[in-house]
Amino acid sequence: PMKYIFRLLALATFLLLVIPAEAQRRNARYNEYIRKYSSLAVEQMKKYKIPASITLAQGLLESGAGQSTLAKKSNNHFGIKCHNTWRGRKVYHDDDARGECFRAYRKVEDSYEDHSKFLTNGARYAFLFKLKQTDYKGWARGLKKAGYATDRSYANRLITIIEDYDLYKYVTKGMSKREARRWEKLIKKKPWLVNPHPVYIANGLAYVVAREGDNFRLLGGEFDISWKKLVSYNDLHKDYTLEPGDIIYLKKKNKKAMKPYTYYIVKDGDSMHSISQMYGIRLKNLYKLNDKDGEYIPEVGDRIWLR
């Protein structure tokens, strides 16, 4: 139902605004882990061509930011099991089955080195090395596809960690100065390459939720749509400054609301524009449906016809 969809959207928008600050407080261990091991991940990237973003994200996820029993007692930060080829120290923990054999290391650096060799020498991971080091999403999904973990959400969890903690920035450490400058210049121009907007569907229309720093030109570039069309589709003016949480439709809105939404009762803070965005109705049509002109300002309790 539409009201449920937009209730979820309101929650999602709230989370987009508050999670970064909360995460800093709530996941101080993540920040500490990144500070402690980022240089090690970069070193491995230079040596084995595995994105530092992926290595760090896997280390954070698999070791619980270094706090898991396996990490603390055995220095195993990547959850790598013994397999038939392992000749080093072993420990036993319950995982997918009881008492499974895991690799144990003398120091954390050995775990990072073995993780790199595990991926580099594993035939099932060979296709990953054809991907660019900047393609962290391809690597994350590829690791899941190759069977690194049984968790169905493994790829999404890695991607979320990378984006929440800006781990993609470490990839430039493995580039030449010239390549790094070129990449940084490209990302400045096209930030969506490392952090694209999720696309949602409501009212039968595709839309995105604006984030801090967004503008119509950037969104137009990301979705290959004229920025002027985006302004028009959303009944805004070209000088409007996008606010985090704004709903931005990627195509023309409808002439009326979808069934079964017939009318809406105005609440505090509503405007004709916010209602038109909520239900995906063109603003001029919303005024027409209600026999109002552009001067009309809805008051709390007013009934606004949607179709």
Side-chain angles (χ1 to χ4, degrees), residues 12-297:
T13 301
F14 171 77
L15 291 176
L16 281 169
L17 293 173
V18 302
I19 277 179
E22 289 294 326
Q24 296 296 322
R25 293 192 292 270
R26 201 166 52 234
N27 294 311
R29 287 176 177 172
Y30 271 48
N31 293 324
E32 175 60 20
Y33 186 96
I34 294 165
R35 185 196 65 75
K36 193 171 184 179
Y37 297 116
S38 59
S39 60
L40 185 55
V42 169
E43 178 185 312
Q44 292 296 309
M45 178 174 64
K46 291 179 178 179
K47 190 174 179 181
Y48 292 101
K49 309 303 181 186
I50 299 166
S53 57
I54 286 292
T55 299
L56 279 171
Q58 283 195 282
L60 283 161
L61 182 57
E62 297 285 352
S63 76
Q67 299 303 306
S68 71
T69 300
L70 193 60
K72 284 184 171 182
K73 293 188 175 181
S74 308
N75 289 317
N76 186 332
H77 280 230
F78 298 93
I80 300 178
K81 296 176 182 178
C82 295
H83 304 294
N84 296 329
T85 57
W86 182 245
R87 296 293 178 267
R89 288 177 53 233
K90 302 174 182 179
V91 291
Y92 297 88
H93 289 277
D94 294 344
D95 191 48
D96 295 327
R98 294 190 64 176
E100 290 194 89
C101 182
F102 286 86
R103 303 182 183 189
Y105 307 96
R106 187 170 57 87
K107 54 187 179 180
V108 175
E109 288 80 358
D110 294 339
S111 178
Y112 269 72
E113 179 76 12
D114 189 50
H115 169 260
S116 296
K117 289 181 178 178
F118 180 75
L119 295 183
T120 305
N121 298 330
R124 59 179 172 162
Y125 299 113
F127 71 97
L128 290 171
F129 293 87
K130 296 178 182 179
L131 300 174
K132 293 181 179 180
Q133 290 181 31
T134 53
D135 185 9
Y136 64 87
K137 289 189 176 181
W139 273 83
R141 290 165 182 153
L143 284 167
K144 175 64 185 76
K145 182 180 179 181
Y148 190 97
T150 55
D151 180 0
R152 292 182 179 180
S153 63
Y154 191 74
N156 288 337
R157 293 175 73 184
L158 291 179
I159 291 168
T160 297
I161 290 171
I162 289 169
E163 293 179 350
D164 281 354
Y165 291 90
D166 299 333
L167 299 186
Y168 44 76
K169 68 184 180 184
Y170 290 105
V171 75
T172 59
K173 304 292 184 180
M175 299 177 178
S176 67
K177 289 184 178 179
R178 184 177 180 182
E179 288 174 326
R181 281 196 299 269
R182 187 183 300 132
W183 174 247
E184 288 167 356
K185 185 176 180 180
L186 178 62
I187 294 308
K188 193 171 184 180
K189 186 178 180 181
K190 300 180 178 182
W192 61 84
L193 291 176
V194 294
N195 194 13
H197 288 77
V199 177
Y200 305 95
I201 301 292
N203 309 298
L205 303 168
Y207 71 92
V208 296
V209 178
R211 300 188 295 220
E212 186 70 39
D214 281 345
N215 59 53
F216 288 114
R217 291 183 185 275
L218 285 175
L219 289 176
E222 180 174 354
F223 294 100
D224 195 25
I225 301 171
S226 161
W227 68 269
K228 292 181 179 179
K229 285 185 178 180
L230 285 180
V231 171
S232 175
Y233 293 164
N234 291 277
D235 296 304
L236 294 167
H237 54 82
K238 64 183 180 67
D239 296 320
Y240 177 79
T241 300
L242 289 174
E243 297 287 340
D246 280 349
I247 297 167
I248 301 299
Y249 288 101
L250 303 179
K251 61 181 293 186
K252 276 186 179 180
K253 290 183 287 184
N254 304 316
K255 293 183 178 180
K256 59 184 178 181
M258 299 179 72
K259 293 181 179 179
Y261 303 101
T262 306
Y263 64 87
Y264 174 78
I265 302 300
V266 176
K267 298 179 178 62
D268 188 35
D270 285 335
S271 66
M272 290 296 276
H273 181 264
S274 69
I275 296 169
S276 78
Q277 291 295 92
M278 188 182 300
Y279 289 95
I281 306 169
R282 298 173 200 175
L283 187 56
K284 67 178 182 180
N285 289 88
L286 188 62
Y287 280 117
K288 187 175 180 180
L289 286 166
N290 290 275
D291 293 321
K292 304 292 184 183
D293 60 28
E295 300 298 317
Y296 169 68
I297 299 175

